[in-house]
Amino acid sequence: MKKRINEVSDEEVLLLMKKRKKGLLRIVFSRFGICAIMLLLQVVLIYLVLEWCSEDMEWFTAAAAVFTIAMFFQLFKSDMDATSKLTWLVLLMIFPIPISILFWCKEKEIGHRRLSRRLREMHARTMNKIPQDKDVLSDPSIVSSSTDALCHYLNLTGCFPVYNNTQVTFFPLGENKFEAMLEELEKAERFIFMEYFIIDEGYMWGRILKILAEKAAQGVEVRVMYDGMCEISTLSSDYPKRLSSLGIKCKSFSKIYPFLSTQYNYRDHRKILVIDGKVAFNGGVNLADEYINRRDRFGHWKDTAVMLKGRAVESFTLMFLQMWNITEKEEKWDEFLGCSPECKSFGYVIPYSDSPLDGYKVGECVYMDILNRAKKYVHIMTPYLVLDNELEMTLKFAAQRGVDVRLILPGIPDKKAAYALAKSHYNYLIKEGIKIYEYTPGFVHAKIFVCDDIKATVGTINLDYRSLYHHFECGTYLYGTECIGDIEEDFQKTLRCCREVTEETIKRESLYYRFLGSIMKLIAPMM
């Protein structure tokens, strides 16, 4: 009989770090505190140098003016969206010299040029690693729904075939995903690949880690990768060595160094688990106790995920290997690919990923494709709402065409600035017929679109600039799969726990959030 989450003893949890003390001193003397102090010192030093030069050297003042003007022209030449250009323009006018330098660093890819080059090389070598089944792509239902057109677009950006014979299970809560993860991890025989934005030691990660250690001891290839931000927030900088002592291969993606550069954008926000090429997990759930409501942060934590069994698992295997192999001297692919068996099921699945360094806005384009082709409804859950012009117009156009567009957002925020910024969009979206709801029990971290009972996407991609422009992301696009009804049913169930936002409730909104939202709107693309 399967043990439930709360029925397990502490002996079945493996932790590698002492519990950290909380408080100001811990922050100051932590890696985060040291990085923050060094970055602040660099900013102050640059400011003092610029002040000294501008007062004592006329030629420097002239050169700085020419450089700033050049950055103005470069800004208008760039292909960034209009809202981002406006933000940069305002900042350039207020702080011309430092913002000019920052913009130049961004344009010249200072801090991530090597990463960008390696990713381009990696994608070029893997564009044809998984061939598209032409019979699947020519299926009449795929063609009539224009899913083939979306697949064509996705395959311009990477290797993202459309699959049949893939069973998809939807999890309406992190607790549900966690129980399924434990069960599937116990079955692992060949390899386990894990890539997560956040790993935090506690009950959830402790139970998973115990299984990983046991599997590594049995000869299973276990690899764990997490974003470098974890090293200044949740994990120690030597955590890969700690896992290595258990036989687990581990690395952090894009380590954080205390030097000014553009590396602080471009974080690995993906959540992927692949087991033996047979099973894959994707969705919004990270590996920390709040995601399974064992730790109370911002009320009840509402999150979602999917489990794939079948051919489409191969795409998630490839996604993981692409990121893992960036820092590998000897790339290995074929021993892990080609081992995903068919699993008879209805519908079609397209796993996809989004890179901030390839010029394609994959996540946003998938969302806009769903909105533009919707006939009856599009129902959305997202933790953040920071819209660019294109996505805002697409949402409005769908509602103006008579599509029932509904969004569920958090009732209790994790970040007040982002919460205020989301509220700044409410009034004009509601006026166009879009219905907005806030989840009263707590925080919504789910990222789902479900449309017309026939298509959906579940993944890691928020409706904000961070996810749409600056992060590495991934998702699972579904067409005609049996679980789409479960996704819509969960949306309706969640809706019953929400308060509707109306013009009257907006009028009663606190002055604090109105003022903060107005200020944050000026720098929205940097949020």
Side-chain angles (χ1 to χ4, degrees):
M1 184 176 175
K2 183 172 65 176
K3 292 182 180 179
R4 298 190 61 80
I5 290 174
N6 294 320
E7 296 174 353
V8 179
S9 64
D10 290 339
E11 285 73 23
E12 296 188 50
V13 176
L14 177 61
L15 303 177
L16 301 182
M17 294 168 51
K18 292 181 180 179
K19 191 172 183 180
R20 295 185 175 190
K21 295 181 180 179
K22 298 185 185 242
L24 183 60
L25 287 177
R26 184 195 69 80
I27 295 173
V28 170
F29 292 104
S30 68
R31 182 175 167 81
F32 171 79
I34 293 169
C35 285
I37 290 168
M38 291 192 69
L39 288 170
L40 181 60
L41 288 174
Q42 290 171 66
V43 171
V44 171
L45 180 62
I46 291 170
Y47 175 78
L48 292 175
V49 170
L50 292 175
E51 281 292 304
W52 177 78
C53 290
S54 62
E55 289 178 4
D56 298 339
M57 301 182 191
E58 292 182 2
W59 63 266
F60 177 83
T61 304
V66 171
F67 179 69
T68 301
I69 292 169
M71 290 302 101
F72 269 105
F73 282 106
Q74 182 62 35
L75 173 62
F76 285 97
K77 276 173 54 183
S78 71
D79 60 355
M80 71 175 64
D81 71 292
T83 306
S84 296
K85 284 185 179 181
L86 183 60
T87 296
W88 279 103
L89 180 61
V90 170
L91 292 174
L92 277 168
M93 292 172 67
I94 300 173
F95 310 106
I97 296 177
I99 297 301
S100 294
I101 294 172
L102 184 61
F103 183 72
W104 179 81
C105 289
K106 173 189 173 298
E107 291 295 287
K108 295 299 180 181
E109 299 183 332
I110 302 298
H112 67 271
R113 186 176 297 176
R114 181 177 177 276
L115 173 63
S116 182
R117 185 182 69 252
R118 283 288 292 158
L119 278 170
R120 285 193 292 268
E121 293 171 354
M122 201 70 63
H123 286 168
R125 283 199 289 274
T126 57
M127 282 293 287
N128 300 308
K129 276 289 180 185
I130 307 174
Q132 173 65 63
D133 186 330
K134 293 182 180 178
D135 291 337
V136 173
L137 196 59
S138 61
D139 185 285
S141 65
I142 288 287
V143 175
S144 63
S145 67
S146 298
T147 302
D148 62 327
L150 178 63
C151 183
H152 178 74
Y153 165 75
L154 290 174
N155 279 293
L156 285 175
T157 71
C159 183
F160 307 123
V162 56
Y163 299 90
N164 60 0
N165 295 324
T166 298
Q167 184 184 78
V168 185
T169 303
F170 173 72
F171 302 114
L173 289 172
E175 298 93 303
N176 307 132
K177 177 199 173 182
F178 181 44
E179 289 190 357
M181 283 176 69
L182 296 176
E183 187 176 340
E184 295 299 331
L185 285 168
E186 292 281 10
K187 300 175 186 176
E189 296 176 345
R190 291 187 57 217
F191 65 86
I192 298 170
F193 294 159
M194 305 188 79
E195 178 184 344
Y196 280 84
F197 180 54
I198 294 172
I199 295 179
D200 189 8
E201 285 217 327
Y203 182 84
M204 184 184 191
W205 174 240
R207 287 205 60 195
I208 292 170
L209 183 56
K210 187 169 181 64
I211 297 173
L212 297 183
E214 290 170 354
K215 289 297 175 180
Q218 294 167 13
V220 175
E221 174 89 358
V222 181
R223 301 183 186 181
V224 174
M225 182 162 57
Y226 52 81
D227 185 73
M229 281 288 183
C230 286
E231 293 186 353
I232 62 172
S233 58
T234 59
L235 301 176
S236 61
S237 58
D238 67 342
Y239 206 72
K241 290 182 179 179
R242 297 181 188 225
L243 290 187
S244 179
S245 67
L246 301 174
I248 298 170
K249 296 179 180 178
C250 177
K251 63 176 70 174
S252 61
F253 174 83
S254 189
K255 286 178 176 288
I256 298 298
Y257 297 101
F259 301 105
L260 288 174
S261 76
T262 55
Q263 65 160 330
Y264 296 96
N265 282 325
Y266 316 126
R267 310 318 309 168
D268 184 0
H269 194 244
R270 309 192 315 181
K271 293 95 182 170
I272 297 172
L273 167 60
V274 181
I275 303 167
D276 292 344
K278 299 176 181 179
V279 183
F281 290 82
N282 181 222
V285 181
N286 281 298
L287 306 182
D289 285 353
E290 58 266 34
Y291 291 87
I292 58 171
N293 285 294
R294 190 172 175 91
R295 177 184 173 201
D296 188 357
R297 291 189 72 200
F298 322 115
H300 183 262
W301 195 286
K302 167 64 179 171
D303 218 329
T304 58
V306 288
M307 177 176 68
L308 281 61
K309 293 185 177 182
R311 291 289 314 285
V313 173
E314 193 163 22
S315 282
F316 280 114
T317 307
L318 179 61
M319 285 182 211
F320 176 88
L321 290 171
Q322 285 172 332
M323 294 295 266
W324 183 270
N325 282 331
I326 287 173
T327 55
E328 292 294 298
K329 293 181 180 178
E330 184 180 349
E331 299 171 15
K332 294 182 180 180
W333 307 92
D334 296 336
E335 63 183 292
F336 302 110
L337 294 173
C339 56
S340 300
E342 292 187 355
C343 186
K344 294 295 182 182
S345 186
F346 294 105
Y348 301 90
V349 180
I350 311 177
Y352 61 95
S353 66
D354 192 359
S355 166
L357 301 175
D358 62 5
Y360 293 102
K361 295 189 287 185
V362 176
E364 186 172 42
C365 286
V366 170
Y367 286 161
M368 291 197 296
D369 185 78
I370 291 173
L371 286 162
N372 282 327
R373 299 185 191 279
K375 297 178 181 178
K376 299 176 184 177
Y377 73 83
V378 178
H379 294 160
I380 301 165
M381 285 192 209
T382 180
Y384 311 113
L385 190 67
V386 187
L387 304 174
D388 63 11
N389 290 336
E390 291 91 340
L391 193 49
E392 179 188 323
M393 286 302 301
T394 306
L395 282 163
K396 289 180 178 179
F397 180 53
Q400 289 162 355
R401 289 190 293 110
V403 175
D404 175 26
V405 181
R406 302 188 183 206
L407 291 89
I408 294 178
L409 290 109
I412 300 175
D414 67 332
K415 303 178 183 73
K416 290 188 176 181
Y419 190 53
L421 191 49
K423 287 178 177 292
S424 72
H425 292 284
Y426 284 1
N427 195 40
Y428 56 80
L429 291 178
I430 287 172
K431 286 180 178 178
E432 298 298 336
I434 296 168
K435 295 180 179 178
I436 299 174
Y437 303 85
E438 292 182 336
Y439 182 64
T440 53
F443 183 63
V444 169
H445 193 254
K447 308 96 165 47
I448 66 165
F449 273 54
V450 58
C451 171
D452 294 346
D453 297 329
I454 194 69
K455 62 179 71 171
T457 183
V458 179
T460 68
I461 308 169
N462 300 318
L463 290 183
D464 67 357
Y465 279 87
R466 287 266 145 216
S467 276
L468 300 175
Y469 286 84
H470 301 313
H471 284 165
F472 293 89
E473 303 280 2
C474 63
T476 306
Y477 181 88
L478 309 169
Y479 178 78
T481 57
E482 295 168 284
C483 74
I484 290 173
D486 298 330
I487 299 173
E488 173 59 14
E489 182 182 350
D490 178 61
F491 185 92
Q492 295 298 331
K493 182 180 177 181
T494 306
L495 205 60
R496 293 194 287 271
C497 301
C498 296
R499 58 175 174 257
E500 184 173 2
V501 177
T502 65
E503 291 186 25
E504 285 302 313
T505 63
I506 291 172
K507 289 177 183 177
R508 295 196 300 269
E509 193 63 72
S510 71
L511 184 61
Y512 170 79
Y513 278 122
R514 290 187 189 183
F515 177 74
L516 184 59
S518 300
I519 298 300
M520 289 297 103
K521 219 169 176 65
L522 293 174
I523 56 170
M526 297 183 177
M527 289 290 291

